[in-house]
Amino acid sequence: MSEVQPADVDRDVVDFAIVGKWMDEQGLPGGEFDNVSALGGGTQNIMLRFTRGGRDYVLRRGPKHLRPKSNDVIRREGRLLGALTGTGVRAPEVIAACPDESVLGAVFYLMEPITGFNPQTELPALHAGDPEIRRQMGLSAVEAVARLGALDYRALGLADYGKPEGFLERQVPRWLGELESYSANEGYPGPEIPGVEQVGDWLERHRPADWRPGILHGDCHLANIMFSYEGPQVAALVDWEMSTIGDPLLDLGWQIATRPEPGTTTGSLIGKLGEVGGLPTPAEMIEHYGRFSDRDLSNVSWYTVLACFKLGIVLEGTYARAFAGKAPQKVGDYLHAITLELFDTARGLTE
């Protein structure tokens, strides 16, 4: 095993001597670490791609400056993705996971690299030049979350991965409480979001009475999906930080709520793909979901409103933190504009 630390990798983030020793203990191929490159970083979770013993890997761990729940998030991700291996769901395949943060100073796991592109930052000529390819991309994304929601989470050993009892009942008070907590950020003027109470009240009054728990990705907009270079198919759903056991129809509502419309601030969240559009209509998305699921789809509008409500409040958190100097003001203003659009969409669906 090489004791040489690959260039440009901070030992406070990943000490490859430690990783190499741990990999040897897992029976993985030995040798030097080559072709090390960063796939993510900064304040977000860190991903490093490398080659060792003729095999390619991606290492994922929390940010350099760990947040209170960073290790738990990565531990949960590693567990879930490991359980999804072999199910046919398009997700990163875990090679080995280290849930013990004392080994590296942070929980981490190794996964197979994904061959594909993120439509937020890249749109190959094939996809950019053919609106039907882009429509099929949207349908493939719908199929991916439908297949995920159809899995038997108990059979996969995930019975304790979330708390499905009362999941829908918890949503409005949970997220209104989160919104209220933002007032702790010095300088934040409070949530100036038209329709918060109106939308929350509507959600409470129209909440579906019957639903069936399943695996929920939790943040499945198109910027968190990688697609094949060869066609419209999903290569992998990524960024599983908000995954749980809940109502999988919220993933469908989330995709509809974040469906990029060219010229809107929300559309720009999806970057390259959001600029050109061509995605399927909500009606097409619902119909396609039904091909892979036996769930009752009569209340999809309710889940779309909930997605707008929840995501809008999540994004408002960065806006609030920007006032206290904890996030760039430009980013905060941008996400606040998306929050306003999401609540405008939600109000329109409730009227």
Side-chain angles (χ1 to χ4, degrees), residues 262-322:
T264 64
T265 309
T266 304
S268 68
L269 184 67
I270 315 299
K272 297 291 186 181
L273 182 57
E275 291 172 8
V276 295
L279 279 299
T281 65
E284 289 174 322
M285 295 168 73
I286 295 167
E287 189 274 335
H288 197 70
Y289 190 99
R291 297 184 184 184
F292 306 95
S293 173
D294 61 357
R295 295 178 184 274
D296 179 2
L297 301 179
S298 61
N299 288 311
V300 172
S301 288
W302 186 89
Y303 293 96
T304 306
V305 172
L306 177 59
C308 292
F309 181 84
K310 180 176 178 178
L311 180 57
I313 290 175
V314 169
L315 298 180
E316 182 73 3
T318 301
Y319 182 61
R321 289 190 291 274

Side-chain angles (χ1 to χ4, degrees), residues 180-213:
E180 186 176 345
S181 75
Y182 298 161
S183 297
N185 291 281
E186 185 177 353
Y188 177 55
E192 298 174 349
I193 307 171
V196 168
E197 297 298 333
Q198 171 192 338
V199 172
D201 179 65
W202 184 90
L203 285 167
E204 291 287 60
R205 287 187 291 107
H206 294 85
R207 184 174 57 242
D210 298 310
W211 62 281
R212 190 169 76 250

Side-chain angles (χ1 to χ4, degrees), residues 17-331:
I18 293 174
V19 173
K21 181 176 183 294
W22 179 84
M23 290 177 68
D24 292 343
E25 293 169 353
Q26 310 310 306
L28 295 169
E32 296 187 358
F33 289 87
D34 297 315
N35 306 316
V36 179
S37 60
L39 303 180
T43 61
Q44 304 300 314
N45 291 322
I46 290 166
M47 291 195 295
L48 297 174
R49 181 168 180 159
F50 63 88
T51 302
R52 188 178 192 235
R55 184 174 185 179
D56 294 327
Y57 300 86
V58 171
L59 181 150
R60 181 168 167 90
R61 56 148 288 173
K64 179 177 180 179
H65 301 291
L66 294 171
R67 299 166 184 165
K69 295 183 179 180
S70 291
N71 282 326
D72 287 340
V73 166
I74 299 298
R75 190 179 290 113
R76 281 172 55 82
E77 278 188 9
R79 178 188 173 191
L80 176 65
L81 294 176
L84 292 180
T85 299
T87 63
V89 167
R90 302 295 178 92
E93 183 175 338
V94 172
I95 298 168
C98 181
D100 181 0
E101 61 261 40
S102 69
V103 174
L104 190 64
V107 172
F108 68 95
Y109 59 85
L110 302 178
M111 58 183 169
E112 297 281 1
I114 299 163
T115 301
F117 68 92
N118 184 321
Q120 182 182 45
T121 56
E122 182 181 359
L123 201 61
L126 172 66
H127 305 72
D130 189 342
E132 178 57 22
I133 289 283
R134 298 195 296 274
R135 191 180 78 88
Q136 292 294 332
M137 288 172 69
L139 295 179
S140 184
V142 167
E143 177 183 343
V145 295
R147 290 188 181 279
L148 175 68
L151 295 176
D152 183 342
Y153 67 94
R154 293 184 183 87
L156 295 174
L158 297 171
D160 61 344
Y161 190 75
K163 299 177 180 178
E165 297 80 9
F167 176 80
L168 293 187
E169 289 82 0
R170 290 195 301 270
Q171 294 304 300
V172 171
R174 159 75 175 85
W175 293 104
L176 286 179
E178 180 76 5
L179 185 61
E180 186 176 345
S181 75
Y182 298 161
S183 297
N185 291 281
E186 185 177 353
Y188 177 55
E192 298 174 349
I193 307 171
V196 168
E197 297 298 333
Q198 171 192 338
V199 172
D201 179 65
W202 184 90
L203 285 167
E204 291 287 60
R205 287 187 291 107
H206 294 85
R207 184 174 57 242
D210 298 310
W211 62 281
R212 190 169 76 250
I215 302 172
L216 181 72
H217 179 281
D219 192 19
C220 56
H221 56 71
L222 293 171
N224 280 342
I225 301 177
M226 295 184 70
F227 289 87
S228 168
Y229 284 106
E230 307 301 322
Q233 295 80 20
V234 166
L237 299 168
V238 297
D239 292 340
W240 293 77
E241 294 181 43
M242 294 173 67
S243 61
T244 190
I245 306 301
D247 190 335
L249 287 180
L250 181 54
D251 275 344
L252 175 58
W254 204 272
Q255 288 198 354
I256 294 172
T258 58
R259 175 182 174 273
E261 292 280 1
T264 64
T265 309
T266 304
S268 68
L269 184 67
I270 315 299
K272 297 291 186 181
L273 182 57
E275 291 172 8
V276 295
L279 279 299
T281 65
E284 289 174 322
M285 295 168 73
I286 295 167
E287 189 274 335
H288 197 70
Y289 190 99
R291 297 184 184 184
F292 306 95
S293 173
D294 61 357
R295 295 178 184 274
D296 179 2
L297 301 179
S298 61
N299 288 311
V300 172
S301 288
W302 186 89
Y303 293 96
T304 306
V305 172
L306 177 59
C308 292
F309 181 84
K310 180 176 178 178
L311 180 57
I313 290 175
V314 169
L315 298 180
E316 182 73 3
T318 301
Y319 182 61
R321 289 190 291 274
F323 281 91
K326 302 174 184 176
Q329 190 64 54
K330 184 177 180 181
V331 174

